Amino acid sequence: MKGRKAMSDVNGVVENGWEQVADTFRANFKEEKDLGAACCVYVDGRAVVDLWGGLADREKNHPWGRDTIVAVASTTKGATAMCAHLLVERGELDLDAPVARYWPEFGAAGKGKIPVRWLLSHQAGLPVIDIQLTFEELCAWDPVVHALEVQEPLWKPGTEHLYHAMTYGFLVGEVVRRITGKSLGTFFAEEIARPLELSAWIGLPEAIEPRVARVEQAPYPYDSPEKLMGDFAVILGLDPAVAGRLVQTLWGPDSILTRAGTMNGVIVGENVTSRAWRAAEFPGANMFANARAIARMYAAMVSDVDGIRLFQPGTVAAMSAPHTESTRMHSVPPELAPAAKNLFNMSLGFWRATPPAMPLLGPASFGHPGSGGSLGAADPEARVAFGYVTNLWSATLIDTRHIELTAAVRRCLG
């Protein structure tokens, strides 16, 4: 890292017995794995760890503060799933009903029988849109929704799965909009963020702009495809040649996942640092939040938080149950299927704990990571929730920072 290094001092509070989390968080700065970051842990509805440190903006030498927020990429998907499940708990959304019951136009092109649960579990066969849209059209919402309405699935829905990196937010968000008459960002603000007093937005108000940390791409340890392949090999216990083939298959320049994550090459570069991007609603990818907000909303799923509990235990059990264990990952050849098994273990909108790549908080835990390194998670058995955000973005889901932080949480739980 050139220029001034990230500050090693850490601010916040840590209760007795949780020092290992603070030590791990501090070590990330000492080892230059983080520039600016925050970490928060809730147990039984109250914060036992609430830490932040480093630089929110290296160029301006601006420190990360208690109220600093940052882009959290696909960690957004967990918040979006919560919105859908609130409607399920209220009896307004049936996960086994066809999407077309709520969104009639979606039933075109052979999609009339796709149930809502296949949207949440990335099995609908719509990870990319077939047509090329401009950045302005993507931000406008309706052009994306119309493209998804008329498009045929890439596979027979329900038989395969593949991460719907961007389209997930439009698919689930449009169902929420058809039921409530509100955009996903508005529904999230009114039903989750405001009651819980979260610093989290999907569609960032301009007045909040000064609180946004400046993101940098991490030189450590993913500054080349070779290092990314090596990391997959070590963490997943794969032969390096197999890891290389897996990375190229899934994330090569012409892969479906690369197209999916960039909306056919549009969500890149200056577009994702623009005010237009932050103001728009991409419910799969552009929430801005701090670690406290992420931990607090997950805590409210599994415990009471200041008198608020979002879901009954039965709802949490249903939403976190496995949904992709019996379907193959689309585009992965049969000989690589065993290597890909521990890369994607999805429930209804949430990743399930899948060691070693995504151990989360324990076997019963669930959550969602974000490209760049952020993570939100909860464990209903331990009644613990976790949030981590950073502005030094890596380029892989297998991020050692949150793997080590969640390992520290598990050690503290005993």
Side-chain angles (χ1 to χ4, degrees):
M1 296 167 65
K2 298 180 180 179
R4 177 170 173 166
K5 295 182 179 180
M7 297 187 301
S8 60
D9 55 304
V10 170
N11 301 295
V13 293
V14 180
E15 289 196 0
N16 291 338
W18 291 89
E19 293 85 358
Q20 289 187 61
V21 179
D23 292 343
T24 304
F25 183 69
R26 186 176 289 109
N28 283 341
F29 292 102
K30 291 180 179 179
E31 297 169 16
E32 299 187 358
K33 294 181 181 180
D34 260 324
L35 174 62
C39 178
C40 187
V41 180
Y42 268 69
V43 177
D44 284 325
R46 62 185 184 84
V48 297
V49 175
D50 188 2
L51 299 172
W52 61 91
L55 295 173
D57 189 322
R58 189 202 304 271
E59 288 187 355
K60 296 180 179 178
N61 196 29
H62 185 66
W64 193 289
R66 185 181 188 279
D67 293 326
T68 296
I69 60 174
V70 70
V72 299
S74 285
T75 300
T76 309
K77 291 182 175 67
T80 296
M82 291 179 202
C83 292
H85 289 294
L86 277 179
L87 296 177
V88 173
E89 180 143 295
R90 295 171 184 176
E92 299 178 55
L93 176 61
D94 181 350
L95 294 172
D96 292 312
V99 176
R101 174 188 296 181
Y102 309 101
W103 175 8
E105 298 89 342
F106 180 83
K111 303 192 299 299
K113 295 183 179 180
I114 294 178
V116 174
R117 67 174 63 247
W118 290 351
L119 302 187
L120 287 157
S121 57
H122 301 257
Q123 298 184 88
L126 298 165
V128 295
I129 52 175
D130 288 342
I131 62 173
Q132 187 71 42
L133 296 177
T134 67
F135 178 60
E136 290 73 21
E137 288 172 325
L138 296 177
C139 291
W141 187 269
D142 285 344
V144 182
V145 167
H146 179 66
L148 291 168
E149 288 171 349
V150 301
Q151 186 170 310
E152 294 183 4
L154 278 179
W155 60 82
K156 182 180 179 181
T159 65
E160 297 181 339
H161 63 264
L162 192 70
Y163 191 52
H164 289 46
M166 287 287 183
T167 58
Y168 168 95
F170 289 92
L171 292 165
V172 178
E174 184 64 11
V175 171
V176 171
R177 190 181 74 85
R178 294 296 178 114
I179 293 171
T180 67
K182 300 173 182 178
S183 71
L184 192 288
T186 298
F187 185 82
F188 172 73
E190 294 180 356
E191 301 292 338
I192 297 177
R194 289 176 193 165
L196 287 169
E197 299 181 334
L198 308 181
S199 287
W201 293 267
I202 302 172
L204 187 71
E206 189 167 7
I208 309 299
E209 286 279 342
R211 294 171 55 184
V212 177
R214 182 176 179 271
V215 168
E216 295 187 17
Q217 296 300 318
Y220 171 90
Y222 308 115
D223 56 354
S224 71
E226 290 75 21
K227 288 184 179 179
L228 178 57
M229 294 173 188
D231 194 61
F232 269 63
V234 171
I235 293 178
L236 295 179
L238 299 176
D239 179 272
V242 173
R245 288 186 60 202
L246 184 63
V247 169
Q248 288 294 340
T249 297
L250 291 176
W251 290 284
D254 299 320
S255 69
I256 295 173
L257 282 178
T258 295
R259 288 178 55 210
T262 63
M263 292 295 267
N264 295 322
V266 177
I267 305 300
V268 293
E270 293 182 357
N271 284 342
V272 293
T273 60
S274 67
R275 171 61 197 152
W277 163 258
R278 293 192 289 269
E281 294 186 19
F282 286 78
N286 80 334
M287 183 167 74
F288 285 76
N290 55 26
R292 188 180 312 109
I294 293 170
R296 189 172 170 86
M297 70 181 182
Y298 273 95
M301 298 180 73
V302 297
S303 56
D304 289 340
V305 177
D306 294 335
I308 298 173
R309 184 165 187 147
L310 294 175
F311 303 104
Q312 295 300 315
T315 303
V316 173
M319 72 171 72
S320 59
H323 269 69
T324 56
E325 76 283 5
S326 61
T327 59
R328 65 180 294 272
M329 185 178 290
H330 181 75
S331 78
V332 173
E335 66 272 18
L336 289 180
K341 184 177 181 180
N342 285 334
L343 280 180
F344 196 75
N345 184 7
M346 186 60 60
S347 62
L348 291 174
F350 302 96
W351 239 278
R352 291 171 48 80
T354 311
M358 194 76 63
L360 299 180
L361 304 170
S365 63
F366 61 92
H368 214 294
S371 176
S374 62
L375 176 68
D379 188 309
E381 293 182 357
R383 300 180 305 283
V384 61
F386 173 86
Y388 167 74
V389 300
T390 176
N391 66 345
L392 190 61
W393 278 29
S394 67
T396 179
L397 292 173
I398 303 178
D399 194 295
T400 58
R401 293 171 296 183
H402 66 60
I403 289 176
E404 292 165 359
L405 282 165
T406 52
V409 172
R410 294 195 301 276
R411 290 195 299 271
C412 293
L413 287 169

